[in-house]
Amino acid sequence: MCLSFKKWFLGINEKLNIYKCLIRSTLEYAAPILVLNENNIQRFQGIQYKALQIIHKEKPKCSSSYLHHLSQKEPVYDSLFKLGENFFEKNITSANPLVLELLDNLIHTQYGKTPIEMLYIIR
């Protein structure tokens, strides 16, 4: 997909919106599951770093905290953690028997911890 041409180009805000809609939304889609694996978080942070580097036309050795500041975007880890925490908190309080059974199975198979405890261990 071409986002710029000799006679026209997209500004930073438009590029950030495209990133947010196409890339970031895909990364955050499965946040409750992805946050439980550190390798996934590191891969997605790398994807976000590269996207922000391209959007701002920064050099390869630019710090990620600087890019996050320029973009006013939080790191992938923080975003995935918040989304995962919200998901588990909403579902733990749910009266849906299927959700309760799934969470009970997860608790017994994952180190004997609740999903919220698992998130805090990872963080």
Side-chain angles (χ1 to χ4, degrees):
M1 172 180 0
C2 182
L3 298 178
S4 64
F5 189 65
K6 292 177 186 176
K7 297 180 181 179
W8 58 269
F9 64 94
L10 295 176
I12 290 177
N13 289 334
E14 290 86 6
K15 291 177 189 176
L16 285 171
N17 284 336
I18 291 171
Y19 164 76
K20 189 170 93 175
C21 292
L22 297 178
I23 298 171
R24 185 76 181 237
S25 63
T26 304
L27 297 178
E28 292 177 346
Y29 179 73
I33 302 301
L34 298 175
V35 75
L36 297 175
N37 187 335
E38 186 66 34
N39 290 334
N40 290 335
I41 296 170
Q42 290 175 356
R43 286 183 194 146
F44 293 151
Q45 183 61 41
I47 292 168
Q48 176 170 289
Y49 174 80
K50 189 65 176 170
L52 295 179
Q53 182 184 16
I54 291 169
I55 289 169
H56 292 289
K57 298 179 182 177
E58 290 293 332
K59 297 176 182 172
K61 299 293 181 181
C62 180
S63 76
S64 61
S65 59
Y66 175 70
L67 288 173
H68 290 121
H69 175 73
L70 278 178
S71 305
Q72 298 176 349
K73 299 279 180 222
E74 60 187 357
V76 170
Y77 181 81
D78 294 341
S79 175
L80 290 178
F81 182 81
K82 285 178 189 176
L83 290 170
E85 187 176 44
N86 289 340
F87 174 81
F88 284 123
E89 284 177 355
K90 286 178 183 176
N91 285 306
I92 286 173
T93 60
S94 170
N96 185 334
L98 179 59
V99 170
L100 295 175
E101 182 180 339
L102 289 171
L103 289 174
D104 187 51
N105 289 339
L106 178 66
I107 290 168
H108 290 16
T109 59
Q110 295 288 328
Y111 314 107
K113 305 277 186 208
T114 66
I116 296 296
E117 290 172 333
M118 288 294 295
L119 287 173
Y120 283 108
I121 288 170
I122 293 169
R123 189 163 203 191

